[in-house]
Amino acid sequence: MDVSLASAWAALGGEPGLLPRVSTVVREEALPARLPVRELARACAGVCALAAAELGALRAGLTEVPRVRVDDGAVATAFVSERHLLIDGRAPVAFAPLSRFWRTADGWVRTHANYPHHRERLLSALGLPEGDAAAVGAALAERSSLEIEETVYAAGGLAVALRTPEQWAAHDQAAAVAAGPLVEHDRADTAADLAVAAVSVSSGGAPLLPAAGVRVLDLTRVIAGPVATRTLALLGADVLRVDPPGTPELPDQHIDTGFGKRSTALDLTRAADRRDFEELLAGADVVVTGYRPGALDRFGLSPQALLARRPGLVVAQLSAWGSYGPWAGRRGFDSLVQVATGIAVVEGSAERPGALPAQALDHGTGYLLAAAVLRSLTEGSADGHGRVVRLSLARTAAWLLESAARRGEAPQGEARRGGGGGGGSEAFDAAEGRLAERDSPVGRLRYALPPVSFEGGPGDWARPPGPWGVDGARWG
């Protein structure tokens, strides 16, 4: 399957006749890479906007789906939103010192230790009570990449050996991922009499909000899931993020992905918090999860259990490695998926592994996930049935690599750069006209505007982000 808006729309089950409603502003300098990252980003943001326009037309009683405009510049800016964020003039903290590539006895490994508990588990796996980069580097240099991968995983940490695309293709997890669709979507057996409420179309400047009144329970972390729910909030959904109190989100990461949402903390092992959660669930229309497959089942939050209690619900699941295969239960992040699947080899050099120009697996999968929720709401409005949708970073990575292979693009040489299409790389670095500023409970913010754009739709979030975990466990 090629990386294109048409293939992504088909994966979502969209009506092909709506594709001409989309126009694209191509900017060749956006997201330069050897792999077709610009095309992936454009497709993911584009289908999200089209799904929003489709739902908006249904709920507003429009005779035509609003036209969608996808601008590569806006998409490229949004795909690196974390780099454009400023908080009272301060740039956010990016990767921690122990989250990086390391040389090993036989190659390379990448670790992820941004969260304190992952840092502690990495050091424990290496037998280091404390450790700076020099000590960790020395310990890793003595071991093989695969030994490190398994040892750190067994300790609950995160480390992945560098593989070529061919090595990954021979892995059992790659086979499990490739066997599934880009977007897995199933209709629930049971239905509910849930009428889709109308939304208004204002001539006085108020935007069309396709998800107005939709209640979204956000059980996601890091980037991909929060990008999806941030997008649903843009479109009018009442989004409440729920986290366990003992593992707070990284503050700057929470700010970047927290636009339009509220945030609360609940310990589902406590009876009082569990009652609060059940009340939230009873009023939810959508539940989005970003934990490892099966991780929430012990709380009765499997898709089957959720749909049994709330027929008509849309359950959207996101994971790093997919729902099936030997790695399905493993933790993962965009940077680690790039390393395992061979993307880091393709984008690197003979001297060192590389990376995509954005955390495109996170952002791309996030917009695809939001699109899948919107399409599920559209489909469910006709039959009352709930839906279960599943996406993974590894499947998005496979889509990217498959497309390059199908086009016959050799994964060698310099990153692709074009000269036409309306701008140079300097313009994209500056993100001119694609950033905004506003005051918030966490300070004065500069941030990237959303790339999801359609006629009459919103251009910015209705509310800025607030501190993590401070809101009440109730619907707004």
Side-chain angles (χ1 to χ4, degrees):
M1 184 172 66
D2 197 19
V3 169
S4 68
L5 196 143
S7 64
W9 188 241
L12 291 162
E15 168 56 50
L18 293 181
L19 288 170
R21 306 300 293 171
V22 182
S23 63
T24 303
V25 181
V26 176
R27 303 186 190 274
E28 297 287 350
E29 291 294 330
L31 300 174
R34 293 171 187 157
L35 293 167
V37 178
R38 173 168 50 85
E39 292 85 346
L40 178 142
R42 181 196 302 151
C44 293
V47 294
C48 186
L50 185 55
E54 177 190 34
L55 180 61
L58 171 69
R59 299 188 68 195
L62 301 178
T63 57
E64 264 193 327
V65 171
R67 293 190 178 277
V68 170
R69 184 175 184 269
V70 188
D71 187 321
D72 283 351
V75 173
T77 301
F79 265 58
V80 291
S81 60
E82 63 275 9
R83 300 181 203 170
H84 292 297
L85 180 68
L86 292 178
I87 308 160
D88 287 331
R90 172 185 66 81
V93 176
F95 284 94
L98 299 188
S99 296
R100 48 168 281 192
F101 282 109
W102 308 86
R103 281 197 177 276
T104 66
D106 61 351
W108 292 88
V109 72
R110 180 149 191 165
T111 56
H112 196 289
N114 286 3
Y115 291 90
H117 56 293
H118 290 155
R119 180 182 185 276
E120 292 168 7
R121 293 167 186 172
L122 171 65
L123 294 175
S124 173
L126 299 178
L128 300 172
E130 284 296 330
D132 56 15
V136 171
L140 293 174
E142 298 175 351
R143 309 186 190 189
S144 73
S145 301
L146 292 178
E147 177 196 354
I148 294 164
E149 181 178 270
E150 291 304 318
T151 301
V152 174
Y153 167 69
L158 291 142
V160 171
L162 179 71
R163 290 171 172 84
T164 66
E166 294 76 20
Q167 289 170 329
W168 176 246
H171 196 284
D172 288 345
Q173 187 60 35
V177 168
L182 177 64
V183 180
E184 183 180 345
H185 43 90
D186 299 311
R187 193 180 82 160
D189 294 332
T190 56
D193 185 15
L194 298 177
V196 176
V199 295
S200 63
V201 180
S202 172
S203 59
L208 171 62
L209 299 174
V214 174
R215 291 174 169 176
V216 178
L217 202 53
D218 178 4
L219 309 181
T220 69
R221 294 176 64 81
V222 199
I223 296 177
V227 163
T229 52
R230 178 181 73 181
T231 304
L232 296 173
L234 168 76
L235 299 170
D238 181 6
V239 179
L240 179 62
R241 174 168 167 167
V242 180
D243 286 279
T247 52
E249 183 60 276
L250 301 174
D252 294 346
Q253 194 163 265
H254 175 72
I255 292 170
D256 180 52
T257 60
F259 283 86
K261 311 180 201 176
R262 292 174 298 115
S263 169
T264 194
L266 293 175
D267 181 352
L268 298 188
T269 65
R270 295 182 66 248
D273 283 9
R274 185 57 192 255
R275 284 194 298 270
D276 289 342
F277 181 83
E278 290 296 330
E279 289 182 13
L280 290 171
L281 181 60
D285 303 295
V286 178
V287 175
V288 186
T289 70
Y291 292 82
R292 291 169 294 149
L296 298 176
D297 290 6
R298 64 191 175 104
F299 298 113
L301 301 180
S302 68
Q304 296 76 18
L306 289 169
L307 285 161
R309 280 135 74 193
R310 182 86 168 131
L313 189 70
V314 174
V315 181
Q317 294 186 304
L318 171 77
S319 62
W321 304 106
S323 300
Y324 314 101
W327 280 20
R330 293 198 177 195
R331 299 174 180 87
F333 294 88
D334 180 307
S335 58
L336 301 183
V337 176
Q338 289 190 40
V339 172
T341 59
I343 289 173
V345 170
V346 175
E347 296 293 340
S349 66
E351 291 75 33
R352 186 176 179 83
L356 299 176
Q359 293 188 73
L361 306 181
D362 265 335
H363 286 269
T365 309
Y367 288 111
L368 279 177
L369 186 65
V373 169
L374 295 166
R375 291 240 62 254
S376 294
L377 291 170
T378 296
E379 293 174 347
S381 69
D383 59 23
H385 285 263
R387 299 293 194 278
V388 179
V389 296
R390 296 184 181 89
L391 293 89
S392 72
L393 305 186
R395 186 62 186 88
T396 303
W399 184 37
L400 181 65
L401 288 162
E402 288 165 4
S403 180
R406 184 166 285 106
R407 296 180 187 187
E409 295 176 2
Q412 301 171 2
E414 294 299 316
R416 296 179 298 122
R417 297 181 184 274
S425 58
E426 295 81 5
F428 288 100
D429 291 341
E432 184 176 354
R434 303 179 182 105
L435 303 177
E437 292 194 16
R438 71 197 301 179
D439 292 319
S440 79
V442 293
R444 180 73 177 174
L445 302 180
R446 187 195 75 176
Y447 59 97
L449 290 168
V452 174
S453 176
F454 57 93
E455 278 182 318
D460 201 349
W461 290 272
R463 60 186 294 165
W468 177 86
V470 302
D471 296 297
R474 57 184 176 273
W475 294 114

